[in-house]
Amino acid sequence: MKKVVIVGGGFCGLRVARILESRFAVTLIDTKPYFEYTPSVLKLMTGDPKRYRKDFSAILKKTTFLQGEAQFRNNSIVVGKEKIPYDYAVLATGFVPFMPLGKDISDATSGESIMQARDRLHAAKTVLIIGGGYVGVELAAEIATSFPAKKVTLIHNHPLLLERNAEKVSLYAQTFLSKRGVDMILSTKIARMDGKRVIAKRGQSYSGDLIFSCIGTRPQTKNIDGKILNERKEVCIRQTLQIEGLDSVFAGGDIAAISEERTAQNAERHGKAIAENIIRKEEGKALTGYCPSRRPMVISLGNDRGILAMKNFVMTGFFPGLLKRLVEKKVMREYGA
């Protein structure tokens, strides 16, 4: 059987493995032994990690799993000192948090980081969140609804939260947070840390018992050959999701240079497209191009409220919150959780 080696077991890499493991000898490489449902990691503030994680060994029946940190250099995949042979390779290493203020601030992009901050959150009286995008807003809502006695402050560098969306989305989120006591400081850019305080570009100073940075993420490409990266450190790909100049190597998920939102559902679409193109290539058929599209966004606000946004269509309230929980249950049930 031909060998397919996948680096990264998130939504993209796992989708490829599940589709191909019955037709190829698949090896999945990841630094952790489990899949994590990242859209709901903020629920780990109060929830059971087992609800949002599932071991790869329980999901994949025929795939060989290798735990470690992989390097992709000169068309070779190396883990430790071992070179991993492949006929087809898939790079889907995901993202890392963008932390320009240093490592003394907590981030909220992975289950591990949330678990590290959980005890400090329970002890904190005041929480400061920097960044009013998707993660910052969901985090502020999660803390404000689960720990109403805590004073939450959200700082954002734009006049509106969630500014890439329709204005109705921003206004609903701001109203929701305001009604639950969240203090929003808008049009304020944080420039640096000074001890346990953050200093804004205009000189204002803010502090909290616990500070989260939700400024954004960056592609996790530090172990990928720089010759195939663009100026944003994304992997340069063709429309077929093949890496430029490498016909048998594909890339998808957050590291791929595709102009669309970095979401779990899009990463899964990349994985499906990659798997289908590997099959087509093996069968000698023409490969199909991936077409980016704007997908519905569901933003959760606490346990039972949310926002559903699709271009100019916006729905708010109970139903979007329910929809996000149902999607989570569907995915984890599909993976046997």
Side-chain angles (χ1 to χ4, degrees):
M1 296 177 75
K2 292 286 185 72
K3 296 181 176 66
V4 176
V5 177
I6 304 164
V7 183
F11 283 91
C12 176
L14 185 58
R15 178 61 63 185
V16 175
R18 296 189 76 220
I19 294 173
L20 296 185
E21 67 173 352
S22 62
R23 306 179 63 150
F24 296 84
V26 176
T27 298
L28 175 66
I29 305 169
D30 201 286
T31 56
K32 58 186 186 304
Y34 54 82
F35 166 78
E36 183 169 76
Y37 189 78
T38 49
S40 293
V41 293
L42 295 180
K43 299 297 182 183
L44 292 175
M45 293 287 184
T46 55
D48 183 355
K50 293 180 181 178
R51 178 176 172 181
Y52 309 104
R53 295 174 178 173
K54 188 70 174 178
D55 287 349
F56 292 123
S57 60
I59 302 172
L60 300 167
K61 306 306 179 185
K62 299 180 180 180
T63 295
T64 299
F65 174 70
L66 180 60
Q67 186 169 355
E69 189 166 327
Q71 303 268 343
F72 183 78
R73 313 279 184 195
N74 299 317
N75 305 345
S76 297
I77 296 174
V78 178
V79 178
K81 296 182 179 180
E82 181 183 1
K83 186 175 179 180
I84 313 298
Y86 65 84
D87 296 292
Y88 298 100
V90 179
L91 306 182
T93 48
F95 63 83
V96 290
F98 179 51
M99 302 291 283
L101 299 175
K103 297 182 179 180
D104 294 332
I105 299 181
S106 298
D107 84 87
T109 57
S110 70
E112 182 181 4
S113 61
I114 293 295
M115 294 300 292
Q116 289 174 351
R118 190 155 80 164
D119 290 343
R120 295 172 60 201
L121 174 64
H122 283 257
K125 294 182 179 179
T126 59
V127 179
L128 179 63
I129 300 169
I130 304 167
Y134 296 115
V135 176
V137 167
E138 287 194 346
L139 177 60
E142 188 69 28
I143 296 173
T145 54
S146 299
F147 306 96
K150 298 185 188 300
K151 178 59 180 175
V152 179
T153 301
L154 176 60
I155 302 175
H156 190 45
N157 64 356
H158 194 274
L160 293 172
L161 302 178
L162 303 167
E163 68 275 7
R164 296 205 304 267
N165 296 273
E167 186 175 2
K168 182 178 178 180
V169 172
S170 301
L171 296 178
Y172 183 83
Q174 290 175 203
T175 299
F176 179 94
L177 294 176
S178 179
K179 286 181 177 180
R180 286 153 184 83
V182 176
D183 184 15
M184 286 164 285
I185 302 171
L186 304 177
S187 301
T188 300
K189 183 177 178 61
I190 298 300
R192 60 187 175 89
M193 284 286 296
D194 184 5
K196 295 185 177 181
R197 305 181 69 84
V198 296
I199 310 300
K201 193 172 182 179
R202 296 176 183 173
Q204 309 99 310
S205 175
Y206 306 96
S207 64
D209 297 330
L210 179 59
I211 304 176
F212 284 97
S213 175
C214 301
I215 296 174
T217 61
R218 294 291 183 268
Q220 172 66 291
T221 53
K222 66 178 178 124
N223 292 332
I224 294 177
D225 198 327
K227 291 182 290 187
I228 61 173
L229 305 180
N230 63 18
E231 66 279 1
R232 295 183 297 276
K233 304 300 181 183
E234 300 165 327
V235 178
C236 299
I237 56 171
R238 306 174 203 159
Q239 192 175 5
T240 55
L241 303 183
Q242 293 166 294
I243 294 177
E244 291 284 1
L246 302 175
D247 287 349
S248 297
V249 186
F250 297 75
D254 295 284
I255 67 170
I258 301 174
S259 181
E260 64 182 358
E261 289 284 355
R262 289 347 193 197
T263 64
Q265 61 179 324
N266 282 335
E268 281 204 319
R269 291 178 69 227
H270 299 172
K272 184 174 184 291
I274 289 170
E276 290 174 351
N277 271 343
I278 289 175
I279 293 171
R280 293 181 72 84
K281 185 171 174 60
E282 191 63 14
E283 293 176 345
K285 298 178 180 178
L287 275 59
T288 57
Y290 174 80
C291 296
S293 62
R294 190 164 185 180
R295 311 288 292 178
M297 291 290 296
V298 182
I299 305 158
S300 60
L301 298 174
N303 290 324
D304 58 7
R305 294 292 185 273
I307 305 171
L308 171 63
M310 177 58 179
K311 296 183 179 179
N312 293 323
F313 173 79
V314 177
M315 178 183 292
T316 61
F318 175 78
F319 178 75
L322 174 63
L323 179 62
K324 187 157 187 176
R325 294 196 302 277
L326 291 175
V327 171
E328 171 201 308
K329 288 181 179 179
K330 176 182 178 295
V331 172
M332 296 309 290
R333 187 181 298 117
E334 180 183 347
Y335 292 164

